[in-house]
Amino acid sequence: MIEEGSWRERITVIWGDITGIQVDAIVNAANETLLGGGGVDGAIHRCAGPGLLEECRKLHGCATGKAVITSAYRLPARFIIHTVGPVWHGGSRDEDALLASCYHKTLELAKTHGVRTLAFPAISTGAYGFPRRRAAGIAVRVVKEFLERDETIEKVIFVCHDGENCAIYQELLGVGQ
Ligand code: APR
């Protein structure tokens, strides 16, 4: 059993741009086509370059709640794990479970590819309209539960792109106050 509370030392929150983070894998908040878009998806494709889109085309999409892995091309990371978050419809269409699945499937995929350091954006909280605090609570719970029973992943970074998300994650993790 992993030492009680050690998960806390393996999670950090930063305010920044995920495309510049030097980790084994960064996570993309993609859509089901995997062919790029705006937000973090657009930033990742812009920085990774055309090779990423070519590889994504061959994957023929990704269902909501699932995750797929590609190379990271011109990004400093080794891999990109693309996951498709749920569009928020008010909470009655399994949005919480689907968002939790994004984090869980991403962590499982990271583990099977020997990823030891990972950076997540705040999946679904932009264009997909998921309430930030609710989404952050799901993200922290799923990552905490995974790290409590798995020690192969050494570091998970929540990369926030705005002050509100950053404050929410810091509050949930009891840091930075
Ligand atoms: N680094 C880190 N986080 C970022 C960055 C960045 N460079 N750019 C945006 N974000 C943040 C947003 O501020 C938001 O908190 O990522 C979070 C997710 O927002 P979106 O990128 O809009 O993703 P999402 O809400 O999951 O919607 C996905 O948007 O971009 C399209 O193709 C994508 O159709 C898909 C949809």
Side-chain angles (χ1 to χ4, degrees):
M1 183 62 183
I2 298 168
E3 183 203 332
E4 175 60 29
S6 72
W7 62 272
R8 200 180 287 276
E9 293 134 33
R10 291 186 282 156
I11 299 182
T12 53
V13 189
I14 64 167
W15 182 345
D17 178 343
I18 201 166
T19 58
I21 306 293
Q22 185 93 32
V23 284
D24 289 345
I26 63 166
V27 180
N28 182 22
N31 59 57
E32 291 193 337
T33 70
L34 292 182
L35 300 179
V40 70
D41 195 7
I44 287 173
H45 274 271
R46 263 193 309 280
C47 294
L52 176 58
L53 186 56
E54 275 167 48
E55 184 174 357
C56 285
R57 278 208 175 83
K58 295 174 189 147
L59 297 174
H60 301 300
C62 176
T64 298
K66 299 283 193 292
V68 293
I69 192 165
T70 68
S71 300
Y73 299 94
R74 297 177 189 157
L75 290 169
R78 281 171 51 210
F79 299 107
I80 303 168
I81 296 177
H82 308 260
T83 190
V84 181
V87 177
W88 179 253
H89 290 288
S92 60
R93 297 193 198 176
D94 258 351
E95 292 98 322
D96 287 1
L98 284 165
L99 186 61
S101 174
C102 286
Y103 285 92
H104 197 257
K105 294 287 186 197
T106 295
L107 289 160
E108 284 181 330
L109 199 53
K111 183 176 164 69
T112 56
H113 284 76
V115 166
R116 307 189 80 77
T117 57
L118 186 63
F120 281 104
I123 299 163
S124 280
T125 64
Y128 281 2
F130 208 110
R132 289 175 165 158
R133 178 169 291 277
R134 191 175 175 134
I138 291 165
V140 169
R141 174 177 57 78
V142 173
V143 169
K144 171 182 179 289
E145 286 168 0
F146 191 94
L147 295 184
E148 278 178 333
R149 63 174 190 280
D150 179 284
E151 45 196 1
T152 56
I153 292 186
E154 291 162 5
K155 182 182 267 295
V156 172
I157 304 173
F158 287 115
V159 183
C160 302
H161 207 234
D162 58 75
E164 186 191 349
N165 261 324
C166 211
I168 291 169
Y169 275 92
Q170 286 182 332
E171 183 194 324
L172 290 174
L173 291 163
V175 298
Q177 308 298 8

